[in-house]
Amino acid sequence: MTPNSGAKLGLIGHPVGHSQSPALFKTILAQDQRTDVIYEAFDLPNVERFPAFVENHPHLLGLNVTVPHKQNILPMLADLSPEAKALGAVNTLVRTPAGWKGHNTDVWGFQRSIQPFLMNRHERALVLGTGGSAAAVHHVLRNLGIEALSVSRGGDSTRVTEAFGRPSIGYHELNDTLLRHHLLVVHCTPIGMWPKTEEIVAFPVELLTPNHLVMDLIYNPSETLLLRQAKAKGAATLNGSDMLRLQAEKAWSIWQEAGV
């Protein structure tokens, strides 16, 4: 397709003031010499306002979606990519003549960011949270043959709870035995994200060891309190910066294919 001159792209979520996406896309667009495309962050506290929002922004051709709308925006979309449909979550939207189509680039970004750091001992994982990002994490770990246990505030093994087709437990059930057998930990909640950088998820960091790999999908701050405390216990740590960059590159390729 011929590139759409004067195209506008953006990010929706709440909050979005911390987001590095505008700066990241400024770099991507500059590298491709696309001075005709603008990327902007839009704070959208209530997803029910999405139809009115896009109607008031007719030049928007593509959107990224961040917390808390990755899942609850689905009923307002006209179509989903196979991956987004399988995950039940989106993070990239494309305007089409029939309406908005949802894609998910979390899988692409997460797999390529974590895979270089995985070792044979990382055969079991604890995934903290049950939102849209956690869905992508479970999808990738399943494809990599890594057994994953979901951890959430509502999880409870005594009630045989599940998330994403896998067993789910509560934070109160985490103990030394579980930590010794689950040497990969992936944090998928917004707890500890800017500006509330001194908050930390209810995870027993004191049970971590140098054999653990802890990934926090948060990228602002670059080192959350969870990662600082994990590093102090000798664990290897990763933040979400590479995942964000890879997601953005994939989203840009999707928008280009759509004619942006």
Side-chain angles (χ1 to χ4, degrees):
M1 290 186 181
T2 303
N4 193 308
S5 180
K8 193 169 185 179
L9 305 171
L11 168 75
I12 56 170
H14 179 72
V16 294
H18 70 286
S19 177
Q20 295 178 9
S21 291
L24 189 53
F25 275 99
K26 183 177 181 180
T27 300
I28 291 173
L29 294 170
Q31 288 172 345
D32 280 8
Q33 299 182 332
R34 291 297 303 275
T35 56
D36 58 315
V37 180
I38 298 170
Y39 187 100
E40 185 178 350
F42 301 94
D43 194 279
L44 191 70
N46 187 346
V47 76
E48 301 298 329
R49 293 171 52 194
F50 177 72
F53 165 77
V54 293
E55 186 176 343
N56 292 333
H57 294 82
H59 296 297
L60 275 172
L61 300 183
L63 286 166
N64 287 133
V65 182
T66 188
V67 293
H69 303 324
K70 290 186 176 187
Q71 294 165 310
N72 57 18
I73 201 171
L74 296 186
M76 301 176 191
L77 306 180
D79 194 14
L80 294 174
S81 70
E83 201 154 63
K85 191 175 294 184
L87 294 175
V90 298
N91 72 339
T92 302
L93 306 181
V94 178
R95 191 193 287 266
T96 75
W100 289 85
K101 180 175 181 178
H103 297 259
N104 193 300
T105 67
D106 281 336
V107 167
W108 175 275
F110 176 68
Q111 181 162 338
R112 283 157 181 78
S113 61
I114 198 169
Q115 205 159 5
F117 300 92
L118 293 175
M119 306 178 102
N120 290 338
R121 64 174 179 265
H122 299 131
E123 57 186 356
R124 297 184 189 88
L126 296 172
V127 181
L128 315 184
T130 55
S133 297
V137 168
H138 278 280
H139 184 83
V140 169
L141 296 180
R142 187 177 286 111
N143 288 346
L144 294 176
I146 296 175
E147 182 183 325
L149 184 60
S150 181
V151 186
S152 69
R153 287 175 296 182
D156 192 329
S157 63
T158 64
R159 293 187 287 110
V160 198
T161 51
E162 287 190 355
F164 313 111
R166 285 175 157 175
S168 171
I169 66 169
Y171 288 100
H172 63 283
E173 298 181 84
L174 293 171
N175 55 40
D176 183 64
T177 301
L178 276 171
L179 267 291
R180 278 191 284 111
H181 288 90
H182 294 77
L183 297 178
L184 173 61
V185 179
V186 186
H187 177 229
C188 307
T189 88
I191 297 174
M193 184 174 70
W194 187 91
K196 299 179 180 180
T197 57
E198 292 310 308
E199 292 187 354
I200 187 169
V201 69
F203 181 82
V205 184
E206 66 276 7
L207 299 180
L208 292 171
T209 71
N211 287 326
H212 281 90
L213 170 61
V214 181
M215 182 172 182
D216 195 329
L217 301 193
I218 292 172
Y219 55 84
N220 186 5
S222 59
E223 187 174 65
T224 58
L225 181 57
L226 173 64
L227 291 188
R228 288 205 308 273
Q229 293 191 5
K231 186 180 288 185
K233 297 299 294 183
T237 60
L238 287 172
N239 67 18
S241 295
D242 276 348
M243 180 176 171
L244 176 71
R245 176 183 58 79
L246 290 160
Q247 288 170 318
E249 291 172 355
K250 184 64 173 177
W252 176 233
S253 71
I254 289 172
W255 292 328
Q256 285 181 300
E257 289 172 10
V260 174

